[in-house]
Structures are given as C-alpha cells and as structure tokens.
Amino acid sequence: MRRRLVGLLCAALLVSAPAGCGIPDSTEVQVDGRGLPAGESGSPNGVRNEPPGRTASGDDPRQFVLNFLAAPAGEPDGAYPRAKKFIAQESQDRLQTKQGSEVALTVVRLRESPVITTNSDSTFSVRLAVQQVGLLRADGTLAPPVATETEYGFTLRYADSSGLENVEPTLYVTNPPNVLLLSDTALRVYYQPRDIYFWNSDQTRLVPDQRYLPLAVPNERRVNEVVRWLIGGPSDWLSPGVTRLPDRTDLINNATGADGRWEVNLAMPGEDAGKLNRLATQLAWSLDWLDGPLDLKIRNQSRRTIDLEKERDANPVYRLTQSAQRFCVYDGAIHPLDFPGEASGSVPVVAEENHHVVSAALNRADDQILAALVVTGADKRLRLRVGTGRDPVNVFNTAPGSYASMDRPVWLRALDKGQPHGLVVADGRLYTFDQSPRLIPVALTVSGRVDAVAAALDGQRIAVIVNGQLYVAAVNLDGGVVTAGPARRLPTSLTDLSAVDWADENKLVAAGSVGRPAVYEVSVDGAAQTVLKADVGARVTHLTAYPTNEVVAQPTNAVMYEANGVSWSDPQFDTIKRTQVQGVESEPPAGQRESNPTAPFFLY
C-alpha cells in the first residue's frame, strides 16, 4: 500500500538525521511524509523513539537548545519529566507539571536559527523567534494555537562541576518559558501522522482525521491508542461534518493481539448490525497498517470477526473507478491535455456549450458528469453555467447574475448524483450551487474577502483563502443545504495566498509569497510545509491538484498551476505547451498569435 512505501521513505529520512542531535538544524523547509507504519517503527529499524537527553549536546549551546525543543516529544505522561531534566533545579517551579488529558505541547516553528549571546558571567541568553503552530494534545490532535507569543527567551548556564575532575561541562536552562515548547521539526521526527476515520453526518462516507502518534508508543499499544481516539471523537474543527460513535461507547480492557490476530472489546449502547458494519469499516481504515483478522466484541460477546484487508477492499474509502484525466481551457474552450503515459479522453461537454469558457470543474458521479463552467459574455462579466448528465453533457443552465471576478468552481464529491453541490468564489464571497444553478451565499466564521476555495476528496472538508490567509473547515450537507463549520487558520510561511487545492487526504497545495511568489505543500493543520516551487516568477492565479488516495493511482505530475497567463505542471514545473492541447492545429493560422493553455484541471 502507498502508506507503507511512504513510511519506508520517512524511515530513511529519520535514520539519516544527524546522529545524537535529535532534530535537524533548519525547520524552514521540510520533507513531509506519513511516517512509519505502526508495525514497522521502533528501534529494530534504527529509528530513534525517544528524543536526546540533556547531555547529548555536550557543551554546544545551539544544539542544546534544539534538543530542549525536542525534549517533550514522546508519550504524553513523560513530557514534563523529560523537559524538566533540561531545566535547572532552581527554575523548575516555572513549569507546572500536568498529567493525563491536561498535557499539551506548544508546537512552534522557528523563523530563524536561535540567537545565542554569551554573557560576562559565562551564561548564555537565548532568543527564539517563532511562529505558533498549534497545541498538541494527549489525544494526538493538533489544536489551533493558544499562545500568541512571537518570541521566547531564556538563559543557559553550565552545571556546577567545581571540584570534580574529568567532568565535561553540561548545560541547564534557567528562567524557561512556562509552557512546554516542541519544535515542528521534532513533531515530524518523533511522531507518526496517522489518519483515523469518522462517518459523515448521513453515514455514507468516511472522513479522515489526522492525529499524531508518538514513535515511542510500543507496537502492541498502537491499536489501543487508535481505538481510544475513535471513542474520544473527532477533532474540534471536524466535528460539524462527521458523526461520533454512540454516546457511552468505551473500551473494555485494552485491545490485545497475538499471531497477527487482534481483539477489541467495547461497551457500545444500542448496537445493531448497521452500527457494527459501519464500525468494522471505520476500524479497518483507521488501522490500515494491519491486514489480519480483528475480533470485535461487545460487552465480552464476539459480534463480528473483521478481515481488515478484505473489509477495505469491499468498502473503499473513496468511490473512484477511473484514472484522472487532464484538461485545460484554450481559446475559450475546454480541451484534453496529452501527457505521456496518461489516459486522455474527449471533452464531456457538447461543442455547442463549449465556448467563452474561462475556467471549469468536471467531476464524475457514477455514470454522470457534473460540469460547472465559468463563462464570459459580451459585457466582459462572468457567469456560472452548470450542467449534469451522461457524457457528453448537453443541457446547461446559467445562474442569474454576473460578476466582475469569479474563481474556478469546485464540486463537493457526492454519492447521490441527483443532489450535487458545488462551491465557487465570486466578487470576494463564497457561494454554493447545484444543478439549478442559483448561487447561495455560504457563511464563514472568519470575515473578509474570499479569494479561493477547494474541496477535499471526501466532500466534507474545504480549504478557503480569506484575506490572503489559509483556512480549513468542515462542511455539512444536512437537508440539502451546504453549511460550513468553524474555520481553522493554518500557520504557514506563505503570505498573501492566492490559490489552493487538496493534494492528499491531509495535505494542501497552496500558492502565496515568501518574499517572492512560491508554491508550497502544507499539512491540513499547518504543522508541516514543503517547498514545491520556491520562485514561481509571478502571482499564481489558478492552481489544481489530483489528491493522492488509496483507490486510484496518482498521476506523475499531480499539480498544475497558472501564473501570468502561462500554465505549468510538476514535478519540475515545466510549461504546458500548445502541442499538448488536443483538438487544435499544430500551428496557429497565419497572422494569428499563438495562445497559451490556461486554467488546467483534472477530471476524476
């Protein structure tokens, strides 16, 4: 499975980290991976489960500081004791020890290397310029930041070794911050991102919820942790779009396993065949590193034996049946793109409707095509045209009203092809539409100008750019009305963001600026970021990605964007050329200027 392959890559990255130091020197550019599969992590593979101790850095103040920012990593109950080993005895009272569910680590991203100044009394003053990333809770959720500090300071002093011979000088922290600081790099090195799954509000599809599992957790306890997470419910921001397990569900004893077979014993009120079947699928995907049987018991009575691998095969998390196809807009019409080794088909829109197109969204819903076209009229204003039906779609309706600006539309992937819903940004506001296609405003919990929207593959989560900042929110479709839950801002190094799309279950691709236009990959909580293109050269006005998933293989070049009227595709971000556009002459007619492919997108 893909997660296993990525996990092995992450293992190689972790093993190659500097020996004895715990975390790399820089945190600005990160290589993100899903981490090691739970059954394949730990010291047998050479991966460090625990962060380095106080003396690992010797008398190197800078490395000591980096190790101090990794010290809380690991199992929550040991976070405070590990950190306090770095703190001088006279300063330990500044950090009040917490236990159980109260343990929370303040995750920060270093904006620059620690500034360390040597003082006349042989101590060191330390200044950390940080970006607040989030609050890592004991249940593995990374909640939005609570702290607002952009800088932390403390002092280092040497241990008192007077009168002792052959003792290497070691350091202690004095006057530490009153919170447990964890660097985003240590989060990446000492935790494994794991997806657990909850059913959406009408219990028709699964929605992933990212958690962080310490690599220090023994293999035999990892199933137990995942089951407890499911019982505890979804992350706060995801709650409006998903369903919890029945109230008063609890784990009886610990999950146990031997010889590839696991047993989970629950107390679950009101269980019936439907609930047990849904729970079986939920467990199979949340424990996706296991392939053997799992005996599901309710109050000590065996109710179902789940073959985890067969359960996943029988109930794919996403209903995708075909590979993605690429399209673009060329001279006001949708055209297929020709990429080596990829399937390419005809345009699923009749020629009579395929004109004056600025951007488009095409989705498959069983045997139907959902088409949303942004078109321009003689007045140069933009309108939304929507059509649904079998390939090719031949009946379209135009939404009332016109707009000066309209971003690319997106569809919320629907299981019910008879009730499709889409989203579009027009004149700085977010709207929903269906096949009618009247635009209805969608209220967000953050105010300001909306510049872009993207929908996750599960159809229950969206990403939006508001006032140049990146947010995610859960959406609910109860009663056929699209409502958005509380928007969560994602901390990134990008500013003035302009475009976004989903690249994975829990990753986004976003375009913005870091002094110059750039394209980054950002995790759904903002904790990890990877530079995809450091210098785009111009503001990105259109961006699209095909989300990696467990069902259909990902194309090689899964991200495309447009900047300054020119379209590009990864991994090297070569330009998409006119010769790759199907259905046009190889050379423009004499006297006409050659057009560029624009607004590229995927059909899947």
Side-chain angles (χ1 to χ4, degrees):
M1 296 176 71
R2 180 181 58 83
R3 296 188 185 184
R4 295 182 184 275
L5 296 175
V6 177
L8 293 175
L9 172 61
C10 184
L13 292 171
L14 296 180
V15 172
S16 66
C21 72
I23 58 177
D25 290 346
S26 173
T27 64
E28 179 61 28
V29 179
Q30 301 178 356
V31 178
D32 180 39
R34 286 188 176 271
L36 293 165
E40 299 174 358
S41 65
S43 55
N45 285 341
V47 178
R48 296 185 305 277
N49 284 343
E50 296 283 358
R54 183 182 63 83
T55 60
S57 58
D59 62 350
D60 182 347
R62 183 175 180 277
Q63 191 58 59
F64 179 87
V65 170
L66 296 177
N67 289 355
F68 176 57
L69 296 178
E75 298 207 56
D77 286 344
Y80 281 89
R82 285 191 296 272
K84 285 192 171 184
K85 289 180 180 179
F86 282 72
I87 300 173
Q89 186 67 37
E90 69 271 17
S91 295
Q92 289 191 1
D93 289 345
R94 287 179 55 88
L95 192 63
Q96 183 180 357
T97 300
K98 298 179 181 179
Q99 295 180 341
S101 61
E102 294 183 345
V103 175
L105 313 184
T106 298
V107 182
V108 296
R109 176 177 293 125
L110 296 182
R111 294 182 179 272
E112 58 187 35
S113 293
V115 177
I116 302 175
T117 304
T118 304
N119 301 319
S120 58
D121 60 355
S122 298
T123 63
F124 301 92
S125 296
V126 180
R127 182 179 65 83
L128 303 177
V130 303
Q131 179 183 37
Q132 297 288 342
V133 172
L135 198 66
L136 183 62
R137 294 173 173 164
D139 63 358
T141 59
L142 185 63
V146 173
T148 58
E149 286 82 358
T150 58
E151 186 175 296
Y152 290 99
F154 49 89
T155 305
L156 306 183
R157 71 162 174 81
Y158 284 110
D160 183 7
S161 57
S162 58
L164 299 178
E165 297 182 358
N166 301 321
V167 175
E168 293 291 332
T170 58
L171 292 163
Y172 281 100
V173 172
T174 63
N175 300 315
N178 61 356
V179 294
L180 278 183
L181 294 180
L182 181 76
S183 71
D184 62 333
T185 304
L187 178 68
R188 188 175 79 251
V189 171
Y190 296 107
Y191 293 81
Q192 175 193 16
R194 288 231 53 88
D195 291 340
I196 60 174
Y197 291 83
F198 292 92
W199 289 99
N200 67 344
S201 55
D202 61 5
Q203 300 186 337
T204 56
R205 73 191 84 173
L206 289 170
V207 182
D209 186 7
Q210 180 167 279
R211 303 296 175 95
Y212 290 91
L213 183 69
L215 289 174
V217 173
N219 291 343
E220 61 272 13
R221 279 189 29 228
R222 299 190 173 194
V223 172
N224 205 61
E225 291 297 305
V226 169
V227 175
R228 289 192 182 279
W229 289 346
L230 290 172
I231 292 171
S235 299
D236 294 341
W237 77 274
L238 196 60
S239 293
V242 298
T243 303
R244 304 172 66 97
L245 294 182
D247 290 343
R248 302 189 305 282
T249 298
D250 202 359
L251 183 63
I252 301 175
N253 301 320
N254 289 324
T256 58
D259 300 324
R261 186 182 187 93
W262 286 88
E263 178 183 295
V264 172
N265 189 10
L266 298 176
M268 191 170 78
E271 81 280 358
D272 55 29
K275 289 180 180 179
L276 291 176
N277 289 338
R278 287 190 292 271
L279 178 58
T281 304
Q282 196 173 356
L283 286 169
W285 281 104
S286 299
L287 300 170
D288 69 343
W289 73 92
L290 298 178
D291 293 333
L294 184 147
D295 188 17
L296 178 58
K297 293 184 174 182
I298 304 296
R299 292 181 293 275
N300 301 311
Q301 300 297 314
S302 182
R303 297 296 300 275
R304 180 171 173 180
T305 297
I306 309 165
D307 186 311
L308 296 170
E309 185 173 19
K310 289 183 178 178
E311 184 71 24
R312 290 190 290 269
D313 290 341
N315 298 283
V317 67
Y318 303 116
R319 296 189 181 181
L320 299 174
T321 58
Q322 302 180 45
S323 298
Q325 296 179 11
R326 298 175 193 264
F327 292 86
C328 72
V329 175
Y330 190 86
D331 282 344
I334 301 170
H335 287 267
L337 283 170
D338 182 17
F339 273 60
E342 294 184 17
S344 181
S346 59
V347 178
V349 174
V350 294
E352 293 79 8
E353 299 288 349
N354 190 13
H355 56 84
H356 295 97
V357 179
V358 176
S359 63
L362 303 177
N363 272 34
R364 297 189 184 103
D366 293 334
D367 59 348
Q368 302 285 300
I369 294 291
L370 310 179
L373 315 179
V374 175
V375 298
T376 185
D379 58 1
K380 306 300 182 183
R381 290 181 64 82
L382 301 172
R383 294 166 174 83
L384 184 69
R385 288 177 58 74
V386 176
T388 62
R390 292 180 179 274
D391 183 358
V393 181
N394 57 20
V395 177
F396 281 79
N397 298 303
T398 303
S402 62
Y403 302 86
S405 66
M406 186 175 287
D407 196 50
R408 68 180 184 96
V410 297
W411 289 99
L412 295 173
R413 297 196 65 83
L415 298 181
D416 183 357
K417 61 187 178 183
Q419 290 185 321
H421 295 278
L423 295 167
V424 68
V425 173
D427 286 351
R429 295 190 65 183
L430 180 63
Y431 294 90
T432 182
F433 61 87
D434 56 22
Q435 65 267 48
S436 58
R438 184 168 60 96
L439 298 188
I440 302 172
V442 177
L444 296 172
T445 58
V446 57
S447 61
R449 178 180 176 83
V450 184
D451 291 309
V453 63
L457 195 56
D458 49 77
Q460 300 291 151
R461 300 173 299 161
I462 61 172
V464 290
I465 295 174
V466 183
N467 293 332
Q469 296 183 320
L470 182 59
Y471 295 82
V472 291
V475 293
N476 194 305
L477 280 71
D478 286 350
V481 178
V482 177
T483 58
R488 172 178 178 171
R489 188 174 71 85
L490 304 187
T492 79
S493 297
L494 292 168
T495 61
D496 191 24
L497 282 90
S498 59
V500 65
D501 204 356
W502 291 79
D504 197 342
E505 286 185 317
N506 284 306
K507 294 177 188 172
L508 303 165
V509 177
S513 176
V514 281
R516 54 193 176 213
V519 177
Y520 274 36
E521 186 178 76
V522 181
S523 63
V524 74
D525 50 25
Q529 58 181 20
T530 303
V531 177
L532 299 183
K533 182 75 170 178
D535 189 359
V536 175
R539 182 179 175 85
V540 172
T541 54
H542 178 101
L543 185 149
T544 185
Y546 179 71
T548 304
N549 62 86
E550 297 282 357
V551 181
V552 176
Q554 180 188 37
T556 303
N557 308 59
V559 178
M560 301 184 289
Y561 69 85
E562 179 187 342
N564 199 25
V566 178
S567 296
W568 304 73
S569 67
D570 75 341
Q572 290 79 29
F573 285 114
D574 293 329
T575 58
I576 301 176
K577 301 173 178 60
R578 183 180 189 276
T579 55
Q580 295 174 271
V581 182
Q582 296 186 7
V584 300
E585 297 180 7
S586 58
E587 297 292 337
Q592 290 190 15
R593 182 180 178 182
E594 180 174 315
S595 301
N596 288 323
T598 60
F601 64 94
F602 292 94
L603 164 63
Y604 53 92

